[in-house]
Amino acid sequence: MTAVALLNWRSADHYDPTGDKPCVICTKPTPLRSDRGKPVHKVCAEDWIDRHTPEEDNA
């Protein structure tokens, strides 16, 4: 079974009230911001993490 990244973005810090900016992954507008302040949808960030996390060696 593969683990799926689920980010907790309940904090208001992840919402930018100044307006939408293009998501750094899909380029569609979003008011959401990453922990580093980059405009990104939560689902885009979770998908990126899933695709860029090294898999554990089960051997």
Side-chain angles (χ1 to χ4, degrees):
M1 178 178 239
T2 304
V4 177
L6 293 176
L7 300 172
N8 180 352
W9 279 14
R10 292 182 182 162
S11 167
D13 295 339
H14 290 286
Y15 178 76
D16 185 351
T18 64
D20 291 353
K21 292 186 180 175
C23 173
V24 296
I25 296 174
C26 75
T27 69
K28 294 179 183 173
T30 181
L32 299 176
R33 302 295 182 262
S34 70
D35 289 340
R36 296 183 181 177
K38 302 287 184 185
V40 65
H41 297 103
K42 180 178 179 282
V43 295
C44 289
E46 290 169 341
D47 182 57
W48 188 93
I49 290 168
D50 286 342
R51 289 185 286 113
H52 292 88
T53 301
E55 294 182 23
E56 290 184 26
D57 185 9
N58 292 330

